[in-house]
Amino acid sequence: MIIVTGGSSGLGKFIAQSLENDNHKVIRISRRSSNFENHLNCDIRNYEDLRKTYKKIKDLGEPVFALINCAGIASMNLALTTPKNVIENIINTNLIGTIYTNQVFAPLIIRSGKGRIINFSTIAVSIALEGESVYSASKAGVECFSKVLAKELANFKITVNCIAPGPIRTNLIRGINEVQIKNILKNQIIKKEFNHQDVFDIVKLILSPDSSSLTGMVFPVGGNNGFR
Amino acid sequence: MITEDEIIDIVISVSDNKIKKENFNSNSNLVGPNSIFDSLGLVQLCIALEDKASEIGFEFDWKSEKAMSTMSSIFKNPESLAIEFNKQFSEQKNK
């Protein structure tokens, strides 16, 4: 069984559907209600909500092999003009929500004896994208958290990695215009726009039994031409 | 409810019997510099206790602020862990 947060919309929805197409049992988690089978309502910013969801999944009694954290939000704002509530919402969802989710659900994978955790970062981290300071900061935190968690879970045969997409056509980039998208693409090694399927290909790579040695890594979609 | 001896048995089981009963008692350190447990063992212990709690119908929270406090960690030794486990059991049963 694979848990996908943010699984009812955007990239998370695509990944969840693609996993189901590949005959994986998927539990989708999202804030919004949904008609998907195997969907659980849960706000990842709410620790108690996550604990309840953990119990529901644990009570299913099925081994959980992977957790894919797609839930996230973005907002284009200059650092000095970002409203306080926007800062808090981005950090609470992207960083704290991801930390909560990893912490609460990791024991489900530990019980299975091995597994994978995939968190989502962004190219905005490595290129220090102007106008996305808070978003980038939240995702930089996710990258660092994932690297440390990779060390802490290595003995449990659990790998922890990040995927860092560039501009993928989802609601998350609705505030970015075409010129900005072209400028971001210049920072990729492969200077073309990638899509949902390209991201899913990396998900499949990480989930593969052949990838048990890949951990603590950030996979930049299209390659990272940035400073790291 | 759980006894200190039951916790010691779980500790020994989680350690794959590397920890011997004659070297481990209710006052032996579970965390800290004198602990004979590594982080892997500690997490496995937490999960085993969570399962034990499920069996008797309550949720054991091992992520509380108190859990890793250096002064009063619930993981200080089997005695403190049994006290916390039983306290959470009683609190939830009395709700």
Side-chain angles (χ1 to χ4, degrees), chain A residues 7-46:
Chain A
S8 67
S9 63
L11 192 56
K13 179 181 171 185
F14 183 87
I15 288 170
Q17 278 177 340
S18 302
L19 287 168
E20 284 169 341
N21 293 342
D22 286 353
N23 296 318
H24 290 285
K25 181 168 182 185
V26 175
I27 299 277
R28 296 164 196 253
I29 289 173
S30 67
R31 264 185 302 169
R32 298 182 198 94
S33 298
S34 143
N35 293 325
F36 288 113
E37 199 183 344
N38 299 323
H39 173 269
L40 295 171
N41 263 106
C42 176
D43 183 347
I44 63 163
R45 298 169 299 182
N46 184 323

Short mmCIF file of all heavy atoms in Angstrom, two decimals, chain A residues 7-46:
data_model
loop_
_atom_site.label_atom_id
_atom_site.label_comp_id
_atom_site.label_asym_id
_atom_site.label_seq_id
_atom_site.Cartn_x
_atom_site.Cartn_y
_atom_site.Cartn_z
N GLY A 7 -3.34 13.86 -2.61
CA GLY A 7 -3.65 12.92 -3.69
C GLY A 7 -4.94 13.17 -4.43
O GLY A 7 -5.32 12.40 -5.31
N SER A 8 -5.64 14.26 -4.11
CA SER A 8 -6.91 14.49 -4.82
C SER A 8 -6.83 15.61 -5.83
O SER A 8 -7.80 15.94 -6.50
CB SER A 8 -8.02 14.78 -3.80
OG SER A 8 -7.79 16.01 -3.16
N SER A 9 -5.64 16.21 -5.98
CA SER A 9 -5.52 17.27 -7.00
C SER A 9 -4.07 17.39 -7.46
O SER A 9 -3.14 16.90 -6.80
CB SER A 9 -5.99 18.62 -6.43
OG SER A 9 -5.15 19.01 -5.35
N GLY A 10 -3.92 18.03 -8.60
CA GLY A 10 -2.60 18.36 -9.13
C GLY A 10 -1.69 17.15 -9.32
O GLY A 10 -2.12 16.07 -9.72
N LEU A 11 -0.44 17.36 -9.00
CA LEU A 11 0.56 16.32 -9.20
C LEU A 11 0.26 15.09 -8.34
O LEU A 11 0.46 13.94 -8.78
CB LEU A 11 1.94 16.91 -8.83
CG LEU A 11 3.17 16.12 -9.21
CD1 LEU A 11 3.22 15.82 -10.70
CD2 LEU A 11 4.42 16.90 -8.80
N GLY A 12 -0.21 15.31 -7.12
CA GLY A 12 -0.53 14.19 -6.23
C GLY A 12 -1.61 13.30 -6.81
O GLY A 12 -1.53 12.07 -6.72
N LYS A 13 -2.61 13.93 -7.42
CA LYS A 13 -3.70 13.17 -8.04
C LYS A 13 -3.15 12.33 -9.20
O LYS A 13 -3.48 11.15 -9.34
CB LYS A 13 -4.76 14.15 -8.55
CG LYS A 13 -5.94 13.51 -9.24
CD LYS A 13 -6.89 14.60 -9.70
CE LYS A 13 -7.99 14.06 -10.59
NZ LYS A 13 -8.83 15.14 -11.13
N PHE A 14 -2.29 12.95 -9.99
CA PHE A 14 -1.71 12.24 -11.13
C PHE A 14 -0.89 11.04 -10.65
O PHE A 14 -0.99 9.93 -11.19
CB PHE A 14 -0.82 13.17 -11.96
CG PHE A 14 -0.25 12.53 -13.20
CD1 PHE A 14 -0.95 12.53 -14.39
CD2 PHE A 14 0.98 11.89 -13.15
CE1 PHE A 14 -0.43 11.91 -15.53
CE2 PHE A 14 1.50 11.26 -14.27
CZ PHE A 14 0.81 11.27 -15.46
N ILE A 15 -0.06 11.28 -9.62
CA ILE A 15 0.79 10.21 -9.11
C ILE A 15 -0.06 9.08 -8.53
O ILE A 15 0.18 7.90 -8.80
CB ILE A 15 1.78 10.77 -8.06
CG1 ILE A 15 2.84 11.62 -8.78
CG2 ILE A 15 2.43 9.65 -7.24
CD1 ILE A 15 3.74 12.42 -7.86
N ALA A 16 -1.09 9.45 -7.76
CA ALA A 16 -1.96 8.43 -7.16
C ALA A 16 -2.64 7.60 -8.26
O ALA A 16 -2.67 6.36 -8.19
CB ALA A 16 -3.01 9.10 -6.26
N GLN A 17 -3.17 8.28 -9.28
CA GLN A 17 -3.84 7.56 -10.36
C GLN A 17 -2.87 6.65 -11.11
O GLN A 17 -3.18 5.51 -11.46
CB GLN A 17 -4.47 8.55 -11.35
CG GLN A 17 -5.81 9.05 -10.86
CD GLN A 17 -6.43 10.09 -11.78
OE1 GLN A 17 -5.72 10.72 -12.58
NE2 GLN A 17 -7.72 10.30 -11.64
N SER A 18 -1.66 7.17 -11.34
CA SER A 18 -0.67 6.39 -12.08
C SER A 18 -0.25 5.16 -11.28
O SER A 18 -0.04 4.08 -11.85
CB SER A 18 0.56 7.25 -12.39
OG SER A 18 0.17 8.39 -13.14
N LEU A 19 -0.13 5.32 -9.98
CA LEU A 19 0.21 4.17 -9.14
C LEU A 19 -0.91 3.13 -9.19
O LEU A 19 -0.65 1.92 -9.25
CB LEU A 19 0.44 4.62 -7.69
CG LEU A 19 1.73 5.40 -7.43
CD1 LEU A 19 1.70 6.04 -6.04
CD2 LEU A 19 2.96 4.50 -7.56
N GLU A 20 -2.15 3.61 -9.15
CA GLU A 20 -3.28 2.68 -9.24
C GLU A 20 -3.28 1.96 -10.59
O GLU A 20 -3.54 0.76 -10.66
CB GLU A 20 -4.60 3.43 -9.03
CG GLU A 20 -4.85 3.76 -7.56
CD GLU A 20 -6.00 4.73 -7.34
OE1 GLU A 20 -6.40 5.43 -8.29
OE2 GLU A 20 -6.47 4.80 -6.19
N ASN A 21 -2.94 2.70 -11.63
CA ASN A 21 -2.86 2.07 -12.96
C ASN A 21 -1.79 0.98 -12.99
O ASN A 21 -1.87 0.04 -13.77
CB ASN A 21 -2.54 3.11 -14.03
CG ASN A 21 -3.68 4.10 -14.23
OD1 ASN A 21 -4.81 3.82 -13.81
ND2 ASN A 21 -3.40 5.23 -14.84
N ASP A 22 -0.77 1.16 -12.14
CA ASP A 22 0.30 0.15 -12.04
C ASP A 22 -0.03 -0.91 -10.99
O ASP A 22 0.87 -1.64 -10.54
CB ASP A 22 1.64 0.83 -11.67
CG ASP A 22 2.23 1.58 -12.85
OD1 ASP A 22 1.69 1.47 -13.96
OD2 ASP A 22 3.24 2.29 -12.65
N ASN A 23 -1.32 -0.96 -10.60
CA ASN A 23 -1.83 -1.99 -9.67
C ASN A 23 -1.35 -1.86 -8.23
O ASN A 23 -1.29 -2.85 -7.50
CB ASN A 23 -1.50 -3.41 -10.20
CG ASN A 23 -2.21 -3.68 -11.50
OD1 ASN A 23 -3.38 -3.33 -11.64
ND2 ASN A 23 -1.50 -4.26 -12.45
N HIS A 24 -0.96 -0.66 -7.84
CA HIS A 24 -0.67 -0.43 -6.42
C HIS A 24 -1.97 -0.04 -5.72
O HIS A 24 -2.79 0.68 -6.29
CB HIS A 24 0.32 0.73 -6.25
CG HIS A 24 1.70 0.41 -6.71
ND1 HIS A 24 2.56 -0.39 -6.00
CD2 HIS A 24 2.39 0.79 -7.83
CE1 HIS A 24 3.70 -0.48 -6.64
NE2 HIS A 24 3.64 0.21 -7.76
N LYS A 25 -2.11 -0.46 -4.47
CA LYS A 25 -3.21 0.06 -3.65
C LYS A 25 -2.75 1.40 -3.09
O LYS A 25 -1.67 1.50 -2.50
CB LYS A 25 -3.57 -0.90 -2.53
CG LYS A 25 -4.73 -0.35 -1.71
CD LYS A 25 -5.32 -1.36 -0.77
CE LYS A 25 -6.49 -0.71 -0.03
NZ LYS A 25 -7.05 -1.60 0.98
N VAL A 26 -3.57 2.41 -3.29
CA VAL A 26 -3.18 3.77 -2.88
C VAL A 26 -4.19 4.32 -1.88
O VAL A 26 -5.40 4.17 -2.06
CB VAL A 26 -3.13 4.70 -4.12
CG1 VAL A 26 -2.86 6.14 -3.71
CG2 VAL A 26 -2.06 4.23 -5.10
N ILE A 27 -3.69 4.92 -0.83
CA ILE A 27 -4.53 5.70 0.09
C ILE A 27 -4.25 7.17 -0.20
O ILE A 27 -3.11 7.62 -0.07
CB ILE A 27 -4.20 5.42 1.56
CG1 ILE A 27 -4.43 3.95 1.92
CG2 ILE A 27 -4.99 6.35 2.49
CD1 ILE A 27 -5.84 3.59 2.25
N ARG A 28 -5.28 7.89 -0.63
CA ARG A 28 -5.12 9.32 -0.89
C ARG A 28 -5.50 10.10 0.36
O ARG A 28 -6.52 9.80 0.98
CB ARG A 28 -6.03 9.78 -2.03
CG ARG A 28 -5.74 9.17 -3.35
CD ARG A 28 -6.94 9.39 -4.25
NE ARG A 28 -6.90 8.51 -5.41
CZ ARG A 28 -6.61 8.91 -6.63
NH1 ARG A 28 -6.36 10.17 -6.88
NH2 ARG A 28 -6.59 8.05 -7.63
N ILE A 29 -4.70 11.09 0.65
CA ILE A 29 -5.00 11.94 1.79
C ILE A 29 -5.05 13.38 1.30
O ILE A 29 -4.14 13.85 0.61
CB ILE A 29 -3.91 11.79 2.87
CG1 ILE A 29 -4.04 10.41 3.52
CG2 ILE A 29 -4.00 12.88 3.92
CD1 ILE A 29 -2.93 10.09 4.47
N SER A 30 -6.13 14.05 1.65
CA SER A 30 -6.18 15.48 1.31
C SER A 30 -7.19 16.19 2.20
O SER A 30 -8.03 15.55 2.82
CB SER A 30 -6.54 15.68 -0.16
OG SER A 30 -7.85 15.25 -0.40
N ARG A 31 -7.06 17.50 2.22
CA ARG A 31 -7.95 18.31 3.04
C ARG A 31 -9.37 18.28 2.51
O ARG A 31 -10.33 18.27 3.23
CB ARG A 31 -7.46 19.77 3.01
CG ARG A 31 -6.61 20.17 4.16
CD ARG A 31 -6.31 21.63 4.09
NE ARG A 31 -5.64 22.01 2.86
CZ ARG A 31 -5.47 23.26 2.47
NH1 ARG A 31 -5.93 24.25 3.18
NH2 ARG A 31 -4.82 23.54 1.36
N ARG A 32 -9.45 18.31 1.17
CA ARG A 32 -10.78 18.40 0.55
C ARG A 32 -11.46 17.03 0.52
O ARG A 32 -10.81 16.01 0.38
CB ARG A 32 -10.65 18.90 -0.90
CG ARG A 32 -10.05 20.27 -1.01
CD ARG A 32 -9.99 20.70 -2.46
NE ARG A 32 -9.06 21.80 -2.62
CZ ARG A 32 -7.79 21.66 -2.94
NH1 ARG A 32 -7.28 20.48 -3.18
NH2 ARG A 32 -6.99 22.71 -3.05
N SER A 33 -12.78 17.06 0.59
CA SER A 33 -13.53 15.82 0.41
C SER A 33 -13.37 15.37 -1.03
O SER A 33 -13.13 16.18 -1.92
CB SER A 33 -15.02 16.06 0.69
OG SER A 33 -15.18 16.45 2.01
N SER A 34 -13.50 14.09 -1.22
CA SER A 34 -13.29 13.58 -2.57
C SER A 34 -14.07 12.29 -2.74
O SER A 34 -14.40 11.61 -1.78
CB SER A 34 -11.79 13.36 -2.77
OG SER A 34 -11.55 12.23 -3.52
N ASN A 35 -14.38 11.98 -4.00
CA ASN A 35 -15.13 10.75 -4.28
C ASN A 35 -14.21 9.57 -4.57
O ASN A 35 -14.67 8.49 -4.90
CB ASN A 35 -16.05 10.96 -5.49
CG ASN A 35 -17.15 11.96 -5.17
OD1 ASN A 35 -17.64 12.00 -4.05
ND2 ASN A 35 -17.51 12.77 -6.15
N PHE A 36 -12.91 9.81 -4.46
CA PHE A 36 -11.98 8.72 -4.74
C PHE A 36 -12.17 7.59 -3.73
O PHE A 36 -12.40 7.84 -2.54
CB PHE A 36 -10.53 9.20 -4.67
CG PHE A 36 -10.13 10.07 -5.81
CD1 PHE A 36 -9.83 11.41 -5.60
CD2 PHE A 36 -10.04 9.56 -7.10
CE1 PHE A 36 -9.46 12.23 -6.65
CE2 PHE A 36 -9.67 10.38 -8.15
CZ PHE A 36 -9.38 11.71 -7.93
N GLU A 37 -12.04 6.37 -4.24
CA GLU A 37 -12.03 5.22 -3.35
C GLU A 37 -10.72 5.32 -2.54
O GLU A 37 -9.71 5.80 -3.03
CB GLU A 37 -12.02 3.94 -4.20
CG GLU A 37 -12.47 2.73 -3.43
CD GLU A 37 -12.39 1.48 -4.29
OE1 GLU A 37 -12.30 1.60 -5.53
OE2 GLU A 37 -12.42 0.40 -3.72
N ASN A 38 -10.72 4.84 -1.33
CA ASN A 38 -9.52 4.87 -0.49
C ASN A 38 -9.00 6.29 -0.28
O ASN A 38 -7.79 6.54 -0.42
CB ASN A 38 -8.42 3.99 -1.07
CG ASN A 38 -8.84 2.55 -1.16
OD1 ASN A 38 -9.54 2.06 -0.28
ND2 ASN A 38 -8.44 1.88 -2.21
N HIS A 39 -9.91 7.20 -0.02
CA HIS A 39 -9.51 8.57 0.27
C HIS A 39 -9.81 8.89 1.73
O HIS A 39 -10.86 8.52 2.25
CB HIS A 39 -10.28 9.55 -0.63
CG HIS A 39 -10.04 10.98 -0.27
ND1 HIS A 39 -10.83 11.67 0.62
CD2 HIS A 39 -9.08 11.84 -0.66
CE1 HIS A 39 -10.36 12.91 0.75
NE2 HIS A 39 -9.30 13.04 -0.02
N LEU A 40 -8.86 9.54 2.38
CA LEU A 40 -9.09 9.97 3.76
C LEU A 40 -8.90 11.47 3.86
O LEU A 40 -7.91 12.02 3.37
CB LEU A 40 -8.10 9.27 4.70
CG LEU A 40 -8.24 7.74 4.83
CD1 LEU A 40 -7.07 7.16 5.61
CD2 LEU A 40 -9.56 7.37 5.49
N ASN A 41 -9.88 12.10 4.49
CA ASN A 41 -9.79 13.55 4.72
C ASN A 41 -8.81 13.82 5.86
O ASN A 41 -8.95 13.27 6.95
CB ASN A 41 -11.15 14.09 5.15
CG ASN A 41 -11.88 14.68 3.98
OD1 ASN A 41 -12.81 14.08 3.53
ND2 ASN A 41 -11.43 15.82 3.49
N CYS A 42 -7.84 14.67 5.62
CA CYS A 42 -6.89 14.97 6.68
C CYS A 42 -6.14 16.25 6.32
O CYS A 42 -5.69 16.43 5.19
CB CYS A 42 -5.91 13.81 6.84
SG CYS A 42 -4.61 14.10 8.04
N ASP A 43 -6.04 17.12 7.29
CA ASP A 43 -5.26 18.34 7.11
C ASP A 43 -3.87 18.09 7.69
O ASP A 43 -3.74 17.92 8.91
CB ASP A 43 -5.96 19.50 7.84
CG ASP A 43 -5.26 20.82 7.63
OD1 ASP A 43 -4.11 20.82 7.14
OD2 ASP A 43 -5.86 21.86 7.96
N ILE A 44 -2.86 18.07 6.83
CA ILE A 44 -1.52 17.68 7.32
C ILE A 44 -0.93 18.72 8.27
O ILE A 44 0.07 18.45 8.93
CB ILE A 44 -0.53 17.42 6.16
CG1 ILE A 44 -0.28 18.70 5.33
CG2 ILE A 44 -0.99 16.27 5.29
CD1 ILE A 44 0.95 18.62 4.46
N ARG A 45 -1.56 19.88 8.36
CA ARG A 45 -1.08 20.89 9.33
C ARG A 45 -1.54 20.56 10.74
O ARG A 45 -1.09 21.16 11.70
CB ARG A 45 -1.59 22.28 8.94
CG ARG A 45 -1.10 22.76 7.59
CD ARG A 45 -1.84 24.00 7.14
NE ARG A 45 -3.28 23.75 7.00
CZ ARG A 45 -4.16 24.65 6.59
NH1 ARG A 45 -3.76 25.87 6.30
NH2 ARG A 45 -5.43 24.34 6.49
N ASN A 46 -2.48 19.63 10.82
CA ASN A 46 -3.10 19.31 12.11
C ASN A 46 -2.59 17.96 12.61
O ASN A 46 -2.93 16.90 12.09
CB ASN A 46 -4.62 19.28 11.92
CG ASN A 46 -5.36 19.05 13.22
OD1 ASN A 46 -4.92 18.29 14.07
ND2 ASN A 46 -6.48 19.71 13.37
#
